[in-house]
Amino acid sequence: MGLLMKNLRVLFLALLLLACPLLQVVKCQSDDDVVSEASAAAAVDDIDYAADDTFTSASGIETVCVFPNNAPRVVHAGEESELLVGLKNDAESSLNVIAIKASIHLNYDHRYLIQNLTAQAFNNATVPASAQATFPYIFAVSKFLQAGSFDLVGTIIYEIDQQPYQSTFYNGTIDVVEAGGFLSIESVFLVTLGAALLVFLVIWIKNEINNFSKKSKRASKVEVGTGTTDASLDEWLQGTAYTQSQGKQSKKKK
């Protein structure tokens, strides 16, 4: 029992040591989000409209989004990714593209904003009426973002006759994976925890087997008496059915 309690203490300390890096990652992720939002705000300062401004979509404007050489839409955390925004102007007037912005949300609830990506300005790139144009957008999600599926919402902002509009070119799922490694921090932690629990289970089974073996040895130690009989017992049994049966058995043996 003492060995079992000692093993439990060791396992508990090991889990605490494993949890420390995860706590540091959470803190670093919060700091990184603040830096990312500040960078996005700084980039938007060069644009005439703020990042949180929303506008209606103009009629006759169509958009399409393509992830070049990335059909599965896999994004590596902390590394730059590129997408192409195709814009078709079927309006009667030319338009000026102001910027492209995007954000990361939980895929099951867009009210939860994960990260505002950096807005990219285009210095009033003109798209004439009945023309098409393609605009690249380079973005990078936080390197501390946990691997998984998230929703990317991308918007292009433009002007027609000095009136601002916006169109959503992408509102779908992307898969975020950790850069440069197959295993994530969470996977390493779970594997380590599983190995620790497996070792603990093996130790517990071994202790139970040892305890069972000790009990079996104690039960097998039975004292065996001699074959002598007490004379007084023989006298007391004289004339009974027991002595008669014993006599018959002795005669048969002869």
Side-chain angles (χ1 to χ4, degrees), residues 50-85:
D52 55 353
D53 286 343
T54 57
F55 310 102
T56 59
S57 178
S59 60
I61 305 300
E62 297 180 5
T63 58
V64 66
C65 177
V66 176
F67 289 79
N69 302 321
N70 188 9
R73 299 183 178 90
V74 176
V75 175
H76 295 271
E79 295 184 359
E80 289 186 345
S81 300
E82 183 183 18
L83 58 83
L84 300 177
V85 181

Side-chain angles (χ1 to χ4, degrees), residues 44 47 49 96-101 119-124 137 155-158 165 169:
V44 173
I47 306 173
Y49 307 104
N96 296 325
V97 175
I98 305 300
I100 291 176
K101 63 178 183 179
Q120 185 171 337
F122 288 95
N123 298 321
N124 295 325
Y137 177 62
T155 305
I156 184 169
I157 303 173
Y158 50 92
Y165 298 93
F169 59 83

